[in-house]
Amino acid sequence: MPGQPLRLRTGVRFDVLDVPAEAGTEALRRLAPGSPVALRGDRMELLLAAGSAEEVPGVLDWLEWGAVTLDLRLLGAGDTVEAPPPPAGAVMSGRAGAVQGAAVWLRPPGPGRGVEALLPAMPAVGRGGSAPDLVRLLDTVAAQCHRVRLRRSCAGPAVSGRNQPLAFS
């Protein structure tokens, strides 16, 4: 329908890992240069290989992040995500003209080519050496999500003059 945002079904060609933008910025180093990444307000949407959303909880447990509360969401089979509008022209102009809260491509997918080979995947999938390693990406994202949470809890209001919740005495 005209005026309605395009919804993309996840779990078919890609899954989505939704993290705080502050945590996702560090993860960009673990992605292939052509890996699509969207920015939606203060959240970053990292595209993963299809089926990865099912693997993530087990990988986080294996990495010993399973018991830690992390601000990340997974979109896999049966979910949908709002597609950012295609970038205007060859060069992105940032967030100019974007509707508040609407997603924008931070790294748009390349025109006319599949990006599946560039998406982070489990090494056992046998996609050769070209795909970024999902395990390393998740370890980076989990550590950054945890740092963001600690930073935000430390920046909270002081309670009875004790504003160092992580200090030892």
Side-chain angles (χ1 to χ4, degrees):
M1 281 211 212
Q4 294 284 47
L6 178 65
R7 305 280 312 165
L8 301 174
R9 190 170 4 153
T10 57
V12 178
R13 296 186 71 179
F14 64 91
D15 288 347
V16 173
L17 176 62
D18 177 307
V19 299
E22 189 176 347
T25 300
E26 187 66 28
L28 292 175
R29 294 183 184 146
R30 299 275 185 207
L31 297 173
S35 292
V37 176
L39 191 61
R40 182 181 315 278
D42 64 347
R43 308 287 301 176
M44 192 174 288
E45 297 171 345
L46 309 170
L47 274 62
L48 308 175
S52 295
E54 296 171 8
E55 302 286 340
V56 169
V59 172
L60 289 174
D61 283 342
W62 182 74
L63 291 168
E64 298 184 358
W65 285 108
V68 178
T69 302
L70 300 172
D71 184 12
L72 56 84
R73 293 179 282 233
L74 295 162
L75 300 170
D79 295 319
T80 62
V81 65
E82 185 179 318
V91 178
M92 285 191 58
S93 59
R95 296 184 212 179
V99 176
Q100 176 116 7
V104 294
W105 286 114
L106 186 58
R107 289 184 179 177
R113 63 183 170 98
V115 296
E116 287 86 359
L118 300 174
L119 300 179
M122 291 294 292
V125 174
R127 299 172 67 185
S130 63
D133 187 352
L134 181 64
V135 175
R136 288 187 177 138
L137 174 68
L138 289 175
D139 195 36
T140 299
V141 167
Q144 293 303 317
C145 283
H146 187 59
R147 286 184 181 121
V148 167
R149 184 174 67 96
L150 290 175
R151 200 173 309 124
R152 288 178 182 165
S153 69
C154 290
V159 179
S160 304
R162 297 183 316 193
N163 60 356
Q164 297 180 358
L166 301 176
F168 298 93
S169 40

